[in-house]
Amino acid sequence: MWIYEKKLQYPVKVSKCDPRMAKLLLEQYGGADGELAAALRYLNQRYSIPDRVIGLLTDIGTEEFAHLEMIATMVYKLTKDLNVDQLKAAGLDDHYVQHGKALFYENAAGVPWTAAYIQAKGDPIADLYEDIAAEEKARATYQWLIDMTDDVDLQDGLKFLREREVIHSLRFREAVEILKEDRERQKVF
């Protein structure tokens, strides 16, 4: 179903080691409005959505996995050369005790990811409105992450991700209108 190219969707660069920022980025890795939750939400919703928009959920869900990979790369690059004292100073000591330097699906506060983050109502329009809200929340989070760093290289990657959230929101809005038109069109059998 997928062809995997061994490169990131957009280049990830960081200018410096920054464990505090890495901790904040975990919000988009394993948080309720993060990339994993979005990818799984959209790929799950495909099974109860009309054929006219199923491809959209597949495309965006797959792209969210690419974004997850970008976030993982950012976190790795921001923390790869840290020692234990630096991890403790950044508030990552709990993470380190449980996972070492491995990534783990958790939010910035250290709360593990849960399937409860995935919304699926089975009503296509309700699900698409949920998807629009998820994209807008992710966009806002990316903006706040951009505001939290002075690393222009990191900001570049975060701005790319923020703009993709805007595009996804617009595409979901288009899908809502398509489904509303289909629903309102008189059916002749």
Side-chain angles (χ1 to χ4, degrees):
M1 179 172 165
W2 292 301
I3 297 172
Y4 178 68
E5 246 183 274
K6 292 185 178 187
K7 68 177 190 172
L8 295 174
Q9 183 183 14
Y10 189 84
V12 168
K13 299 175 189 165
V14 300
S15 299
K16 60 185 176 184
C17 180
D18 188 349
R20 180 192 60 83
M21 194 63 201
K23 182 180 180 187
L24 297 175
L25 283 169
L26 290 175
E27 191 63 36
Q28 290 302 88
Y29 192 67
D33 302 316
E35 302 296 351
L36 177 64
L40 295 176
R41 177 185 302 116
Y42 307 151
L43 293 176
N44 183 61
Q45 288 173 352
R46 297 176 312 159
Y47 297 99
S48 59
I49 201 114
D51 289 343
R52 286 199 58 199
V53 296
I54 196 170
L56 175 66
L57 288 168
T58 303
D59 291 347
I60 294 176
T62 301
E63 185 176 347
E64 299 293 1
F65 279 126
H67 296 174
L68 184 69
E69 188 175 28
M70 288 177 65
I71 293 294
T73 302
M74 289 174 185
V75 171
Y76 170 75
K77 287 182 173 191
L78 290 167
T79 61
K80 70 177 182 165
D81 296 324
L82 294 180
N83 62 41
V84 175
D85 289 333
Q86 290 169 310
L87 289 167
K88 286 195 307 193
L92 287 167
D93 44 335
D94 292 343
H95 177 93
Y96 181 75
V97 168
Q98 293 180 354
H99 310 290
K101 289 187 179 180
L103 282 167
F104 182 74
Y105 294 110
E106 61 189 0
N107 68 14
V111 177
W113 184 88
T114 172
Y117 294 158
I118 300 172
Q119 296 297 319
K121 193 67 173 172
D123 177 278
I125 292 177
D127 283 344
L128 287 168
Y129 277 122
E130 172 67 32
D131 300 344
I132 292 165
E135 293 295 326
E136 292 298 334
K137 288 185 277 184
R139 176 200 49 77
T141 302
Y142 279 121
Q143 183 58 56
W144 297 329
L145 288 166
I146 291 164
D147 295 344
M148 293 298 291
T149 185
D150 60 357
D151 183 335
V152 294
D153 288 330
L154 182 59
Q155 284 177 341
D156 181 57
L158 293 171
K159 287 176 182 177
F160 170 82
L161 291 168
R162 180 194 60 199
E163 294 310 308
R164 293 307 301 159
E165 305 301 344
V166 171
I167 297 301
H168 295 170
S169 177
L170 291 172
R171 297 288 314 277
F172 285 137
R173 290 171 199 272
E174 292 168 4
V176 165
E177 294 308 313
I178 289 168
L179 295 184
K180 282 182 176 179
E181 287 174 15
D182 284 353
R183 184 177 65 188
E184 291 167 6
R185 190 176 298 131
Q186 184 177 8
K187 309 286 184 197
V188 178
F189 298 96

